[in-house]
Amino acid sequence: MHETILTVIFAAALLASLGLKFWLATRQMRHVAAHRDAVPAAFAATIALVAHQKAADYTLAKGRFGLLNMAFAAAVLLGWTLLGGLDTLNGVVREAVQPRFGDMAYQLALLAAFALVGGVLELPFELYSTFRIEQRFGFNRMTWKLYVGDLLKNLLVGALIGLPIAALILWLMGAAGNLWWLWAWGAWMGFNLLILVLYPTVIAPLFNKFEPLADESLKARVQALMARCGFTAKGLFVMDGSRRSAHANAYFTGFGAAKRVVFFDTLLAKLSPGEVEAVLAHELGHFKHKHVIKRIGAMFALSLAGFALLGWLSSQSWFFLGLGVRPAIGAPNDALALLLFLLVTPVFAFFVSPLFAQLSRRHEFQADAYACQQASGGDLATALLKLHEDNAATLTPDPVYVRFYYSHPPAGERLAAMHHQPA
Ligand SMILES: [Zn+2]
């Protein structure tokens, strides 16, 4: 009885989210196509028609591919759950591993097998996106050799990091009693903090080269900005982002006194020193307004709710049966519950994602306002336009699509808000 209700709710949510995603994506594509012929008045003096049309074509190409990707992802999800894919995989792995190597090995093997099959299914889409779409618009810098190298490194790092934390959580699920989810949540949070600390110094250098910022005048400028804003940084680095992509970025990582500023070499190549300073001031604004801490706090709270929910669901047989999986009698079902939960929750979470996007856009406005106080608003505006143009981001998105998906407000809104800042 319960399982039928869950099946119906899940199928309905999957269908509704797919319908909503298609509707939003086609709205966006129609809107961008309809505005392809003319640069919006507010940008007419700064953006050339060719650049505007390139952005439209790039958005449309990604949009069309996105539709295909969406349909495929929904089919795969349905295949894993109601059509019995996960049940079959589970049966095969359990029979092969559990009798000889025991419960933990079986559960880890199930997680690994699922990740591998999922990765293989997604691979054609990733390849097409990188070597066809990004390539066609001149953004891809990735060679096949680099791509395969990255893939292997990702697999290795994923296994080295993922398997121990998965083993710890599975062990807690089996051994820590009714409140296992609270312990597991604690372990997961500790793990996330550890990754946050290790990422900039240990993991990121496996994929990119980081060199101290050599440009002395830019360095002096950036250090003056940071002193003015009350920040100290452990170092200013330039990352060879150009190895993989022409898209530009800058970020600020780490805790307390161990913060480091990382500029993509592609960013430094495109922006003037004043613009780099304004972009960094925007990033500092996120720290000043405590957006980073708030985001981490929200992640803590959400994952606590997630673990509590999983704690309850994993002990209900209808949770498995309703989603197309038969739990085993003579083996732990914790890895199975974990996988089902990770597969199914995003379908429901999609409906509340506009709330988070809205919050994120508000944070961006606040960071822009801070940057306008601490650096030149004019520089921030031109930097924003250059980055938009270089990334071929559309200046004419569909307003409803923006509400749903955009973590950053559209350039037009950001520029308008900056003009209202006191100089
Ligand atoms: Zn920002």
Side-chain angles (χ1 to χ4, degrees):
M1 184 56 198
H2 272 96
E3 59 251 34
T4 318
I5 296 173
L6 177 58
T7 305
V8 171
I9 290 177
F10 172 61
L14 181 58
L15 215 63
S17 71
L18 188 63
L20 186 54
K21 282 178 189 171
F22 262 85
W23 180 70
L24 288 165
T26 48
R27 271 190 73 105
Q28 166 84 336
M29 287 159 68
R30 270 202 312 273
H31 200 273
V32 169
H35 292 84
R36 187 182 180 278
D37 291 337
V39 180
F43 302 101
T46 39
I47 301 283
L49 183 62
V50 234
H52 175 68
Q53 292 184 329
K54 180 187 174 189
D57 296 340
Y58 182 53
T59 308
L60 290 173
K62 281 196 300 183
R64 276 189 292 269
F65 181 62
L67 291 180
L68 191 70
N69 207 342
M70 252 173 237
F72 181 73
V76 167
L77 179 54
L78 205 60
W80 279 126
T81 53
L82 303 185
L83 299 179
L86 185 57
D87 194 55
T88 306
L89 182 71
N90 180 44
V92 172
V93 173
R94 192 176 60 221
E95 269 172 43
V97 181
Q98 198 214 8
R100 274 195 288 169
F101 303 101
D103 289 346
M104 181 55 84
Y106 143 60
Q107 298 203 86
L108 289 176
L110 176 61
L111 295 182
F114 174 83
L116 282 179
V117 175
V120 168
L121 290 174
E122 268 171 36
L123 194 59
F125 287 89
E126 269 180 35
L127 291 174
Y128 189 87
S129 165
T130 305
F131 291 104
R132 281 294 156 86
I133 299 181
E134 294 289 296
Q135 187 82 36
R136 172 143 67 94
F137 289 91
F139 293 128
N140 181 43
R141 301 271 174 83
M142 192 85 110
T143 59
W144 280 98
K145 205 177 134 199
L146 185 60
Y147 191 89
V148 173
D150 277 2
L151 202 67
L152 294 176
K153 270 192 249 176
N154 271 316
L155 260 177
L156 197 68
V157 172
L160 279 175
I161 294 176
L163 286 176
I165 180 67
L168 178 59
I169 287 181
L170 289 171
W171 177 74
L172 287 168
M173 288 177 90
N178 280 337
L179 285 179
W180 70 260
W181 53 271
L182 204 55
W183 294 101
W185 173 71
W188 176 244
M189 288 302 99
F191 168 75
N192 269 288
L193 291 179
L194 187 70
I195 292 294
L196 229 50
V197 173
L198 291 184
Y199 182 80
T201 48
V202 179
I203 301 171
L206 294 175
F207 294 89
N208 283 97
K209 275 204 196 73
F210 292 81
E211 272 164 12
L213 179 62
D215 182 335
E216 288 300 330
S217 75
L218 181 61
K219 209 162 129 183
R221 218 174 156 147
V222 163
Q223 276 163 343
L225 168 75
M226 297 196 55
R228 200 153 75 230
C229 299
F231 285 95
T232 48
K234 198 93 181 252
L236 309 174
F237 295 91
V238 181
M239 190 190 101
D240 59 345
S242 58
R243 277 182 79 197
R244 293 186 177 79
S245 164
H247 293 300
N249 207 347
Y251 66 86
F252 194 52
T253 59
F255 280 117
K259 287 194 188 71
R260 23 165 69 198
V261 179
V262 176
F263 299 106
F264 282 35
D265 54 355
T266 38
L267 185 89
L268 297 184
K270 281 165 194 164
L271 301 188
S272 73
E275 290 166 340
V276 172
E277 182 183 339
V279 167
L280 183 61
H282 169 99
E283 294 305 318
L284 297 179
H286 282 306
F287 274 85
K288 264 289 148 114
H289 284 285
K290 304 209 162 36
H291 296 158
V292 181
I293 289 294
K294 281 181 196 161
R295 231 168 265 187
I296 294 176
M299 186 188 81
F300 270 49
L302 278 175
S303 48
L304 179 62
F307 272 105
L309 186 60
L310 177 60
W312 175 59
L313 290 173
S314 63
S315 63
Q316 314 291 323
S317 62
W318 52 260
F319 173 62
F320 296 88
L321 296 170
L323 295 170
V325 176
R326 292 162 298 170
I329 311 287
N333 294 300
D334 298 330
L336 204 53
L338 206 56
L339 285 178
L340 271 185
F341 187 75
L342 292 176
L343 276 172
V344 167
T345 36
V347 174
F348 296 97
F350 176 67
F351 296 100
V352 291
S353 61
L355 290 176
F356 294 96
Q358 160 80 30
L359 193 65
S360 171
R361 289 195 303 272
R362 195 190 306 164
H363 286 173
E364 294 306 325
F365 281 127
Q366 290 174 343
D368 280 348
Y370 182 83
C372 289
Q373 288 162 14
Q374 301 295 340
S376 150
D379 278 339
L380 184 62
T382 53
L384 196 68
L385 280 177
K386 278 190 190 173
L387 292 178
H388 253 74
E389 186 170 346
D390 272 316
N391 288 325
T394 180
L395 293 169
T396 57
D398 170 55
V400 181
Y401 188 88
V402 167
R403 295 239 155 279
F404 231 92
Y405 284 112
Y406 272 39
S407 63
H408 288 61
E413 285 181 32
R414 287 178 74 176
L415 292 181
M418 279 177 216
H419 283 310
H420 292 110
Q421 296 297 320

